[in-house]
């Protein structure tokens, strides 16, 4: 309290000082204990609420609670108080300390902080005195005075502003407008009249290069990038890209308020607008700056909504006459660039960040990514946003690259150690992110596996690990690893190297797998350890096959695997297994087509995509379940029969017997009927993806291939008793293209089979719930895009 009064030219002394004035002050503190509002004993109305915006339900409850306390005169029971003896220094602009009609607001903590006193004189006319308490805030007050002088000369018709007077080098006096008492949170046409007046009277069209030079954008970004441990790395990288994207554009600029928000504006009954707090005003802000700022700040700080919702509110006004014939996205990008830089420079000098800073940064990050998404890979942008979001969270990356994790291949996933609560918050953030199209989450009691499908069609896999387990064995303690984590030069938190080495050795060892050679250099860190577990891991790193049972036995001796903890881990593992069995179903997919249609290539690429991007195990089956061997196996043996079937040309069987065909079909149909349940239980229930290279459709359309000659209607009816693949793709091409690839069939046969398949798929697509999709496989990339999109729609 003494420091606050001293900054306003008042000195606290002892009661023996004859010149001292005895004052009793009440005050309310911020959550961190610092003083927020101060007022004298005897104040009848809570004048400090002049500084308070009652936008949310919670703020309205607070507002009316304070008014009720003053109404029933319970201030002395509710609020903290202090008795001080104060003398006034020579340069103090406060003549009313002994009066009872003033309140003090200490402002937002930071380099721009200033104190504001509201005072009512005997005629109940109000005024504000602003006190600068730093060089930064002193500069801002001078800028406000300069702008107000300019506005007085311009004489705006649709806008009222305070009358101002400089009191000292560090304080100014601003009058209150008694006619304007209504706070509004809805932007209407009168606001756009003001914006148009600003544009008409002060506009300048600038090349972006000159605009950038005026605002010193490259230099400011570079300065922020040097403080990577304080400023999130991702947002500065994106500001650089945004700056580069705006090159060679033109920016329409004019004078703007700079902090045009619902808490800096009042209206009267006619809707006329009175704006104050012009400290951040600037003559060269992009057109629309105040509109963007009003909408975005309200969305973040009052409505508490994500960027998607805020952008929808902005988009409603893009057809407004004010934005007609303007490059709207250029203006919005310039606003985001300037505003983010302005505030990052403030936060850089701020010792402690209040929670609202994180709200603002997360939303600006999302908004900048949204603007960059047209020219930058959305997966990269999303990864940068994730690590910026987590900067104040306890987490640690496993096996992250040395720098720039956003450059990870799409086939690489991101493993993060993180507490369950923080995991839920991150998932909520990503669900609402503008670059997220779909998100699939596979939760177990130890990890949440996220599969994110971005707006541009890219895929991002993230494992959020809150317990490090192999089945029911917890082989490392997450809390210990998080406490040992360190920040790299970009501010990204990673596991300590020795912890990572142990994790890799235990992970592969307990899974009875060999440690990849790329990690061999790590084994040196374990060579001097006397710990039995480290010695066992060291053996595994050296390439020798250590016994998994021995490794597991050592891990099981830890406290988290003994007694009640061990029992709990087993119960949770059983729960995870049951949950996976019930809810994590796999998918059955069939690929059909004549020889030369490209099935083998497409299936291999599909398999790779599913395994690397969607991280699901893939099983490829040829033609049928193969629970029963092919008939020729009884004559040649299983291995020789399969080799003979692969090497021989199709459709060369000489069987013409109806009885023989019926017996062959009955045998293979039995394989389908019995095998489908085997495949379902062994693979589909476990979450595997089963790809059929040909399916039962071959019996319907090309039974000759299996040396069967039976009526098509009979073969087709057999399909009704089989489990239907969810996705069925028929690949085809014109005979000339097919024959260039393979010369196993003649053109006439290719035409006939293609027609039969197209007819069959058209028939099934109208009668069945599954997808039956013919694809002309001419361009490989286009075919894969169609197939991948359909598979992802089922799995994400």
């Amino acid at each position: 309290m003494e420091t606050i009064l001293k900054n306003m030219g008042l000195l606290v002394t002892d009661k023996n000082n004859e010149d001292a004035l005895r004052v009793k002050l009440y005050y309310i503190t911020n959550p961190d204990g610092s003083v927020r509002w101060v007022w004298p004993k005897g104040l009848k109305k809570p004048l400090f609420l002049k500084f308070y915006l009652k936008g949310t339900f919670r703020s309205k409850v607070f507002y009316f609670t304070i008014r009720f306390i003053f109404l029933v005169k319970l201030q002395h029971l509710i609020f903290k108080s202090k008795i001080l003896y104060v003398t006034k220094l020579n340069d103090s602009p406060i003549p009313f300390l002994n009066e009872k009609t003033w309140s003090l607001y200490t402002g937002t903590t930071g380099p721009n902080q200033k104190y504001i006193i509201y005072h009512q004189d005997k005629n109940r006319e109000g005024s504000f005195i602003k006190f600068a308490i730093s060089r930064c805030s002193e500069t801002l007050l001078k800028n406000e005075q300069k702008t107000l002088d300019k506005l007085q000369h311009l004489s705006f018709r649709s806008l009222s502003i305070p009358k101002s007077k400089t009191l000292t080098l560090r304080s100014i006096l601003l009058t209150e407008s008694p006619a304007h008492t209504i706070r509004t949170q809805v932007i209407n046409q009168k606001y756009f009249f003001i914006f148009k007046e600003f544009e008409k009277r002060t506009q300048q069209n600038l090349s972006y290069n000159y605009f950038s030079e005026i605002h010193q954008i490259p230099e400011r970004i570079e300065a922020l990038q040097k403080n990577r441990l304080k400023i999130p790395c991702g947002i500065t990288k994106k500001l650089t890209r945004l700056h580069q994207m705006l090159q060679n554009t033109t920016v329409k600029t004019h004078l703007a308020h700079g902090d045009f928000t619902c808490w800096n504006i009042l209206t009267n009954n006619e809707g006329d607008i009175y704006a104050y707090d012009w400290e951040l005003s600037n003559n060269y802000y992009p057109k629309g700056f105040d509109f963007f700022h009003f909408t975005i700040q309200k969305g973040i700080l009052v409505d508490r909504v994500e960027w998607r919702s805020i952008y929808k509110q902005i988009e409603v006004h893009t057809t407004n006459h004010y934005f007609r014939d303007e490059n709207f996205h250029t203006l919005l990008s310039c606003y985001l660039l300037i505003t983010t830089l302005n505030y990052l420079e403030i936060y850089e000098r701020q010792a402690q960040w209040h929670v609202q800073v994180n709200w603002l940064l997360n939303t600006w990050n999302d908004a900048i990514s949204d603007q960059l998404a047209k020219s930058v890979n959305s997966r990269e942008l999303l990864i940068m946003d994730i690590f910026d979001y987590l900067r104040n969270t306890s987490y640690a990356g496993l096996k992250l690259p040395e720098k720039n994790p956003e450059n990870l291949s799409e086939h690489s996933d991101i493993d993060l150690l993180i507490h369950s609560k923080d995991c839920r918050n991150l998932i909520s953030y990503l669900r609402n992110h503008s670059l997220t199209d779909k998100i699939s989450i596979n939760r177990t009691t130890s990890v949440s596996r996220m599969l994110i499908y971005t707006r541009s069609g890219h895929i991002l896999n993230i494992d959020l690990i809150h317990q490090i387990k192999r089945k029911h064995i917890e082989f490392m303690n997450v809390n210990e690893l998080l406490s040992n984590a360190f920040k790299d030069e970009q501010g990204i938190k990673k596991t300590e190297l020795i912890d990572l080495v142990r994790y890799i050795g235990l992970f592969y060892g307990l899974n009875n797998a060999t440690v990849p050679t790329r990690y061999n250099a790590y084994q040196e860190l374990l060579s001097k350890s006397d710990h039995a577990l480290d010695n066992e891991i060291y053996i595994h790193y050296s390439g020798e096959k250590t016994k998994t049972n021995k490794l597991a036995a050592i891990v099981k001796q830890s406290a988290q695997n003994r007694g009640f903890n061990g029992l709990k881990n087993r119960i949770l593992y059983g729960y995870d297994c049951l949950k996976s069995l019930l809810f994590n179903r796999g998918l059955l997919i069939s690929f059909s087509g004549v020889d030369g249609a490209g099935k083998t290539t497409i299936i291999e690429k599909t398999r790779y995509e599913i395994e690397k991007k969607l991280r699901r195990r893939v099983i490829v089956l040829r033609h049928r379940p193969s629970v029963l061997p092919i008939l020729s196996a009884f004559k040649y043996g299983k291995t020789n029969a399969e080799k003979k079937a692969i090497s021989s040309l199709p459709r060369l069987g000489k069987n013409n017997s109806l009885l023989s065909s019926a017996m062959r079909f009955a045998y293979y149909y039995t394989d389908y009927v019995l095998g489908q349940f085997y495949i379902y239980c062994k693979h589909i229930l476990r979450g595997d993806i089963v790809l059929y290279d040909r399916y039962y459709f071959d019996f319907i359309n090309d039974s000759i291939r299996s040396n069967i000659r039976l009526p098509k209607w009979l073969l087709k009816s057999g399909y009704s008793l089989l489990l239907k693949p969810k996705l069925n793709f028929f690949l085809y091409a014109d005979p000339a293209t097919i024959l260039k690839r393979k010369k196993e069939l003649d053109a006439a046969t290719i035409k006939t089979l293609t027609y039969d398949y197209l007819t069959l798929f058209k028939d099934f697509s109208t009668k069945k719930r599954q997808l039956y999709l013919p694809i002309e496989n001419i361009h490989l990339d286009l075919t894969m895009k169609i197939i991948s999109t359909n598979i992802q729609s089922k799995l994400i």
Side-chain angles (χ1 to χ4, degrees):
M1 187 73 76
E2 288 81 354
T3 303
I4 294 172
L5 294 175
K6 185 177 180 181
N7 282 326
M8 297 188 299
L10 302 171
L11 184 65
V12 176
T13 66
D14 57 58
K15 62 181 179 180
N16 297 320
N17 189 329
E18 294 180 358
D19 296 328
L21 177 68
R22 182 183 184 275
V23 291
K24 182 174 183 179
L25 302 176
Y26 288 102
Y27 61 96
I28 296 175
T29 60
N30 291 306
D32 63 0
S34 59
V35 175
R36 182 178 179 85
W37 291 306
V38 181
W39 67 95
K41 178 186 177 182
L43 181 68
K44 294 181 179 179
K45 292 183 179 180
L47 297 179
F48 54 87
L49 292 179
K50 290 270 186 183
F51 309 109
Y52 189 72
L53 176 69
K54 52 181 190 300
T56 63
F57 175 77
R58 183 177 177 182
S59 63
K60 288 176 182 176
V61 171
F62 176 82
Y63 178 87
F64 289 110
T65 301
I66 295 294
R67 294 199 63 174
F68 176 76
I69 292 170
F70 270 77
L71 181 66
V72 296
K73 300 180 180 180
L74 293 178
Q75 298 95 308
H76 62 289
L77 297 177
I78 306 294
F79 303 118
K80 298 176 182 178
S81 64
K82 219 170 193 181
I83 296 175
L84 298 172
Y85 294 86
V86 182
T87 60
K88 190 171 70 167
L89 299 176
N90 292 333
D91 62 344
S92 175
I94 304 179
F96 47 77
L97 190 63
N98 59 341
E99 297 180 20
K100 310 299 183 185
T101 53
W102 61 272
S103 292
L104 166 69
Y105 170 52
T106 61
T108 304
T109 304
N112 289 350
Q113 184 178 5
K114 59 202 159 294
Y115 301 153
I116 307 174
I117 283 186
Y118 174 74
H119 172 247
Q120 282 185 350
D121 61 19
K122 294 178 181 179
N123 299 320
R124 301 179 66 86
E125 291 183 358
S127 60
F128 297 89
I129 299 178
K130 290 187 176 183
F131 295 88
I133 62 171
S134 67
R135 287 186 178 179
C136 290
S137 55
E138 189 176 327
T139 301
L140 290 176
L141 290 190
K142 287 178 181 178
N143 184 58
E144 179 171 22
Q145 181 67 69
K146 183 178 178 181
T147 300
L148 289 172
D149 290 342
K150 181 177 181 178
L151 291 172
Q152 293 289 357
H153 286 94
L154 289 174
S155 184
F156 284 82
R157 291 177 300 166
S158 54
L159 176 69
S160 297
I161 58 171
K163 293 179 181 178
S164 61
K165 176 184 177 183
T166 300
L167 298 177
T168 69
L169 290 175
R170 302 180 68 185
S171 62
I172 63 173
L173 176 77
L174 302 165
T175 60
E176 182 186 27
S177 175
H180 298 82
T181 58
I182 304 168
R183 291 197 186 275
T184 178
Q185 297 183 35
V186 179
I187 204 160
N188 55 39
Q189 201 58 42
K190 287 206 172 185
Y191 287 79
F192 284 101
F193 289 153
I194 295 173
F195 303 152
K196 288 173 186 174
E197 272 200 278
F198 276 126
E199 180 185 4
K200 182 179 179 181
R201 292 167 181 256
T202 64
Q203 81 167 39
Q204 295 189 57
N205 290 333
L206 307 177
S207 69
Y208 176 76
N209 289 339
Y210 186 48
F211 174 84
S212 171
E213 186 179 327
I214 290 172
H215 292 284
Q216 299 179 309
I217 289 172
E219 296 83 359
R220 294 166 70 188
I221 294 175
E222 186 179 355
L224 288 170
Q225 287 176 331
K226 291 178 181 177
N227 192 0
R228 288 179 169 177
L229 294 180
K230 181 77 173 179
I231 301 299
C233 184
I235 199 166
T236 55
K237 289 181 184 178
K238 293 193 303 176
L239 288 174
T240 300
R241 295 195 184 189
L242 196 61
H243 168 63
Q244 293 167 349
M245 186 183 81
L246 290 167
Q247 299 295 322
N248 303 318
T249 60
T250 301
V251 185
K252 183 175 285 187
T253 67
H254 58 67
L255 173 65
H257 182 283
D259 196 17
F260 196 81
T261 55
C262 48
W263 48 89
N264 287 333
I265 297 165
L266 292 169
T267 64
N268 58 19
N269 293 328
E270 287 73 41
D272 297 326
I273 296 166
Y274 172 81
Y276 51 95
D277 277 352
W278 290 82
E279 302 156 7
L280 299 177
S281 57
N282 190 286
N283 292 316
Y284 300 102
Y285 275 160
K287 178 177 178 176
F289 190 99
D290 285 341
F291 162 69
F292 295 137
H293 198 72
F294 183 98
T295 309
I296 293 171
Q297 294 292 95
K298 175 179 172 290
I300 299 171
L301 299 174
V302 180
D303 299 335
R304 293 292 295 115
V305 294
E306 71 286 346
W307 171 248
R308 273 180 178 168
S309 299
I310 295 171
Y311 184 72
K312 286 178 182 176
Q313 296 173 33
I314 292 173
E315 208 170 20
V316 169
H317 295 281
T318 56
T319 56
N320 189 294
H321 179 74
Y322 176 68
F323 285 113
R324 190 172 298 171
D325 302 324
E326 302 293 346
N327 190 329
F328 171 77
H329 288 285
T330 296
L331 296 174
L332 178 56
S333 296
C334 288
Y335 162 79
L336 290 169
L337 188 56
I338 295 298
T339 299
T340 307
L341 279 173
N342 288 347
Y343 283 93
L344 284 178
E345 287 170 341
I346 295 171
Y347 302 150
E348 183 185 29
R349 301 190 297 270
Q350 198 166 309
Q352 295 293 327
W353 288 10
H354 47 80
V355 66
Q356 288 86 351
V357 172
N358 296 317
W359 299 351
L360 291 161
L361 287 179
N362 292 335
T363 308
W364 291 335
N365 246 330
D366 195 347
I368 294 168
S369 293
D370 188 27
Q371 295 304 301
L372 286 172
K374 295 180 180 67
S375 57
V376 182
N377 184 318
S378 59
R379 185 178 185 271
E380 291 181 29
L381 296 169
L382 192 58
I383 291 173
M384 286 190 275
D385 288 355
I386 288 169
F387 283 106
D388 279 6
Y389 174 84
L390 291 172
R391 65 177 304 280
N392 292 319
T393 302
S394 179
Y395 80 95
L398 280 169
K399 299 182 289 183
L400 289 176
E402 188 174 341
K403 58 182 179 180
N404 301 329
E406 67 272 14
N407 293 334
L408 275 168
S409 160
E410 194 168 7
H411 297 142
S412 300
D413 58 356
I414 295 175
D415 294 337
L416 300 176
L417 303 178
I418 191 169
H419 293 302
S420 299
K421 180 183 177 182
D422 297 323
C423 169
R424 289 191 294 271
N425 292 337
L426 177 59
I427 290 172
S428 176
Y429 170 72
L430 291 172
R431 281 192 189 280
N432 294 314
H433 198 285
S434 64
L435 298 186
T436 301
D437 183 34
K438 296 178 184 176
I439 183 167
S440 171
I441 303 172
N442 180 15
R443 287 188 177 92
T444 70
T445 55
S446 60
V447 61
S448 294
R449 293 185 172 90
M450 285 196 296
L451 176 59
I452 302 169
Y453 191 61
T454 69
R455 200 172 72 191
S456 61
H458 294 90
I459 286 176
L460 174 61
N461 285 290
I462 306 177
D463 282 357
L464 303 174
I465 304 166
H466 32 274
Q467 275 189 301
I468 304 175
K469 286 183 174 181
R470 160 64 179 159
K471 294 186 175 179
H472 63 278
I473 301 173
E474 186 175 355
F475 60 89
M476 293 188 85
N477 187 292
V478 167
N479 290 328
E480 290 180 7
L481 267 64
L482 289 177
S483 65
N484 295 338
F486 70 98
K487 280 186 178 181
D488 68 8
E489 62 178 16
Q490 294 185 345
I492 294 172
K493 299 174 188 176
K494 297 177 178 177
T495 48
E496 190 68 44
L497 184 57
I498 187 62
D499 289 331
L500 177 61
V501 172
R502 288 171 179 150
Y503 171 82
I504 292 169
L506 286 166
F507 176 82
Y508 286 102
L510 293 172
N511 281 285
N512 200 26
T514 304
V515 175
T517 55
R518 65 179 180 274
Y519 297 126
N520 284 353
Y522 288 162
Q523 72 181 91
E524 238 0 83
L525 293 170
L526 300 170
S527 61
K528 298 179 182 179
S529 175
D530 296 328
H531 197 282
L533 180 60
D534 285 347
N535 293 334
E536 200 65 33
I537 296 172
Y538 177 81
I539 295 171
H540 202 70
Y541 266 100
S542 66
E544 298 179 32
K545 271 283 186 179
T546 184
K547 293 182 180 179
T548 302
N549 290 342
K550 187 175 180 181
L551 198 60
I554 297 173
V555 174
K556 286 179 181 178
Q557 293 174 7
S558 61
Q560 62 260 34
N561 290 302
R562 288 183 303 177
F564 176 75
N565 288 332
L567 176 62
K568 184 175 78 170
N569 286 340
R570 288 178 183 275
I571 293 171
L572 292 176
Y573 175 65
Y575 169 78
D576 288 338
C577 290
L578 180 61
K579 183 181 175 183
S580 176
L581 202 64
L582 295 175
F583 301 109
N584 189 29
R585 300 290 171 84
L587 192 63
L588 199 62
I589 305 171
S590 76
F591 292 86
S592 302
V594 302
D595 293 294
K599 292 190 306 300
T600 303
T601 302
I602 294 296
I603 288 172
E604 281 305 308
K605 282 189 168 291
T606 302
R607 177 180 190 162
Y608 184 80
E609 290 280 303
I610 294 173
E611 288 180 338
K612 295 299 182 181
K613 289 187 178 180
L614 304 181
R615 297 191 301 168
R616 301 287 282 268
R617 194 162 76 110
V618 178
I619 310 297
V620 178
L621 300 176
R622 190 170 182 272
H623 194 25
R624 57 191 180 84
S626 296
V627 175
L628 301 179
I630 57 175
L631 285 169
S632 56
F634 294 106
K635 181 177 180 180
Y636 301 107
K638 182 178 180 181
T639 304
N640 290 332
E642 288 176 351
K643 288 180 180 179
K644 185 175 173 59
I646 293 170
S647 61
S648 61
L649 291 172
R651 299 172 63 88
L652 296 180
K654 299 178 181 179
N655 174 41
N656 291 310
S657 168
L658 184 64
L659 178 61
S660 174
S661 294
M663 292 177 65
R664 292 177 70 86
F665 174 69
Y667 178 81
Y668 288 130
Y669 190 70
T670 301
D671 183 45
Y672 267 104
V673 173
L674 297 178
Q676 65 183 350
F677 298 110
Y678 172 78
I679 297 299
Y680 185 80
C681 294
K682 184 176 181 180
H683 297 300
I684 303 300
L685 286 179
R686 291 184 177 183
D688 298 336
I689 310 300
V690 178
L691 307 181
Y692 267 105
D693 181 356
R694 301 183 178 276
Y695 191 56
Y696 184 80
F697 311 123
D698 259 26
F699 281 116
I700 300 173
N701 286 330
D702 195 14
S703 60
I704 296 174
R705 185 185 184 92
S706 300
N707 211 8
I708 295 171
R709 298 177 186 271
L710 290 173
K712 183 178 284 191
W713 64 265
L714 177 63
L715 299 171
K716 186 176 179 180
S717 64
Y719 185 58
S720 61
L721 297 179
L722 301 181
L723 293 176
K724 306 336 183 255
K726 295 287 185 184
L727 300 173
N728 302 276
F729 302 107
F730 169 57
L731 306 176
Y732 70 97
D734 60 274
T737 302
I738 296 286
L739 290 170
K740 282 181 184 177
R741 297 170 182 168
K742 280 188 179 181
K743 293 182 170 57
E744 295 181 357
L745 302 173
D746 58 63
T749 303
I750 292 171
K751 282 184 179 180
T752 301
L753 290 175
T754 299
Y755 175 79
D756 289 345
Y757 267 108
L758 290 172
T759 304
L760 181 70
F761 269 49
K762 184 178 180 181
D763 181 43
F764 281 164
S765 65
T766 58
K767 297 177 180 177
K768 311 291 184 184
R769 291 180 300 172
Q770 297 77 24
L771 177 70
Y772 295 86
L773 182 63
I775 303 173
E776 188 173 11
N777 184 26
I778 303 297
H779 303 290
L780 180 62
D781 290 343
L782 181 58
T783 301
M784 283 304 304
K785 184 176 181 180
I786 295 170
I787 291 170
S788 297
T789 300
N790 281 282
I791 292 174
Q792 289 164 11
S793 70
K794 294 293 182 183
L795 296 178
I796 301 179

